[in-house]
Amino acid sequence: MTSPVEVSRPRERFYELDLFRFIAALFIVLHHYLFRGQAEGGYSPVTFAPWLTTLGQYTTGFNFFFMTTGFLLLMNAGNKTPRQFVVSRTQRLYPAFWVCCTLTYLLSLLTQNPRFMVSPSDYLANLTMLNGFVGIPYVDGAYWTILISLKFNLLLLLVMSLGQVKHVYWLSCAWLAYSALVSFIEIPYVDFFLLSSYAPFFIAGMTVYLIRRDGQKWQYWLLFAASYLVALYYVVQDALAKEAYYQVPYSPTIFMLINTVYFLMFVLIALNKTKWLQVPFFATLGLITYPLFLLHQNIGFMAFTYIPVNKYLLLVVLLIVMFTLSYGVYRFVEKPFAKPFGAWLNSVLPGRSNNPKTQPVRK
């Protein structure tokens, strides 16, 4: 089923995934600014034109983001030891998070608005990124997806620690079967870690990586198709839940179409049809995605609440400011401090290897 021509070894960097990550983050920003801020408890007092509100209502890029995460983390796991994986992920996630979380917290103190504030102890707990495991409030509500990503990281780390990365296809099949089963039978405690409603998206991303690594194998495409079908079920459930929560009409069909586009974009990657997206500039977009996600929500809501200028002008200026701040965090925090932080972690964590080839490399 696989010929040498069909097999394409993954490149060190997939610029199209940088672009996809940025698009997903931009969709999340628009969802919060144009819709959620007004729809949920008045976090933002401004209401935009109906067509913009509808755009914000449906531009939820979380699932797209989880698909890219599945692809990229499996790619990184394939050439790292568990210890290297821990160091790599920690140095990637924490420095930017500490700065963005602190900035958001300090601005919330300036407003003294209880909608945006948490206690000092809650802020300190947030700095660990583990507060979501014990129900401590987030400094910014957008951080809930960090908990989802951390759980996926932990699952992948467990697979690596047990030496089962070579069996990730069968493990993904079992995970998807569990996700489908939970749609009929509730398993609350187990599901806290196995993420049934998000599993199809992580699995789809991982499967596309397997296709790019190993070639066009029918069993990979079967798993990808199955993940798409299970994902559609959860997309419909999400639309119904949002309709009940926000008390506004939602179209499951539109949600399904949007997520179908996400899957089709990954089909193009699997088929190696995205060469026209090999633009090095997209790497910069990918690098600012994480700080953009961390900074945008509550700071944006505070801006809409306390800056008395035209809301459309403020929206444009706010987007520019968020992109600029995000680049600043990457340029002056992540880039200079991530590697030294990783080197320090490598020196203090047990089990350090003296072989330089096994030292973590930031991608």
Side-chain angles (χ1 to χ4, degrees):
M1 294 298 296
T2 305
S3 70
V5 175
E6 292 173 318
V7 177
S8 176
R9 292 187 62 82
R11 298 179 303 275
E12 186 174 9
R13 187 166 201 105
F14 283 75
Y15 291 110
E16 62 267 52
L17 284 179
D18 288 310
L19 177 63
F20 290 178
R21 289 168 62 199
F22 179 78
I23 292 172
L26 182 60
F27 281 2
I28 293 169
V29 172
L30 293 177
H31 174 67
H32 289 155
Y33 286 177
L34 300 177
F35 176 73
R36 181 177 177 267
Q38 305 83 38
E40 185 180 355
Y43 281 97
S44 173
V46 300
T47 301
F48 291 96
W51 73 271
L52 281 175
T53 301
T54 301
L55 175 67
Q57 181 179 350
Y58 287 102
T59 52
T60 53
F62 299 109
N63 295 338
F64 199 24
F65 180 79
F66 294 145
M67 293 175 74
T68 63
T69 299
F71 184 107
L72 292 170
L73 288 196
L74 182 58
M75 180 173 69
N76 286 331
N79 58 13
K80 286 183 172 65
T81 66
R83 186 177 183 281
Q84 290 173 333
F85 183 77
V86 170
V87 172
S88 174
R89 299 308 298 156
T90 303
Q91 74 177 37
R92 173 70 178 91
L93 296 176
Y94 275 89
F97 179 79
W98 287 333
V99 170
C100 295
C101 181
T102 299
L103 178 60
T104 303
Y105 176 68
L106 292 177
L107 288 175
S108 73
L109 293 181
L110 287 178
T111 70
Q112 289 296 301
N113 187 327
R115 290 187 185 278
F116 309 119
M117 293 180 65
V118 298
S119 69
S121 61
D122 289 347
Y123 157 69
L124 293 175
N126 270 253
L127 295 182
T128 68
M129 283 195 189
L130 303 177
N131 56 296
F133 286 98
V134 291
I136 295 175
Y138 296 106
V139 167
D140 188 309
Y143 295 172
W144 70 269
T145 57
I146 292 177
L147 179 63
I148 304 300
S149 294
L150 281 178
K151 291 176 184 178
F152 177 66
N153 276 265
L154 290 173
L155 288 172
L156 193 53
L157 178 61
L158 177 62
V159 171
M160 296 173 67
S161 300
L162 295 175
Q164 299 302 309
V165 174
K166 59 187 176 183
H167 296 137
V168 71
Y169 166 76
W170 294 109
L171 292 171
S172 296
C173 290
W175 193 16
L176 187 64
Y178 163 82
S179 178
L181 177 64
V182 170
S183 64
F184 301 99
I185 303 173
E186 185 175 355
I187 312 176
Y189 297 107
V190 175
D191 200 52
F192 179 78
F193 288 99
L194 291 187
L195 306 167
S196 60
S197 58
Y198 306 109
F201 302 98
F202 287 118
I203 292 167
M206 290 193 294
T207 304
V208 169
Y209 170 72
L210 293 177
I211 293 171
R212 290 304 303 268
R213 187 192 69 183
D214 301 335
Q216 309 287 337
K217 296 185 178 181
W218 67 267
Q219 59 265 41
Y220 291 166
W221 282 111
L222 184 61
L223 178 59
F224 183 81
S227 68
Y228 169 68
L229 294 176
V230 177
L232 286 186
Y233 167 81
Y234 283 108
V235 164
V236 171
Q237 297 307 306
D238 185 39
L240 297 176
K242 284 182 176 357
E243 182 172 82
Y245 183 77
Y246 291 119
Q247 293 297 296
V248 296
Y250 263 87
S251 169
T253 301
I254 294 177
F255 254 30
M256 292 170 68
L257 289 174
I258 291 172
N259 283 269
T260 297
V261 171
Y262 297 161
F263 274 81
L264 288 175
M265 293 172 79
F266 270 81
V267 167
L268 293 178
I269 295 178
L271 296 174
N272 198 20
K273 300 297 184 182
T274 51
K275 293 179 180 179
W276 58 284
L277 291 175
Q278 297 310 300
V279 181
F281 171 72
F282 292 159
T284 301
L285 297 181
L287 290 167
I288 71 171
T289 294
Y290 181 50
L292 175 63
F293 168 76
L294 294 174
L295 287 169
H296 79 276
Q297 182 174 263
N298 277 13
I299 293 177
F301 290 164
M302 286 184 264
F304 284 121
T305 302
Y306 294 107
I307 300 179
V309 299
N310 179 276
K311 58 190 177 183
Y312 295 100
L313 174 63
L314 181 57
L315 175 64
V316 173
V317 171
L318 190 56
L319 288 172
I320 294 172
V321 169
M322 285 297 139
F323 295 151
T324 304
L325 274 177
S326 300
Y327 179 78
V329 171
Y330 157 68
R331 176 65 180 81
F332 299 107
V333 178
E334 286 192 273
K335 191 172 182 179
F337 292 108
K339 287 184 179 180
F341 180 51
W344 175 79
L345 285 171
N346 197 48
S347 69
V348 299
L349 290 177
R352 182 183 183 183
S353 171
N354 292 322
N355 183 353
K357 292 183 179 181
T358 64
Q359 301 307 308
V361 177
R362 185 171 183 266
K363 299 251 176 156

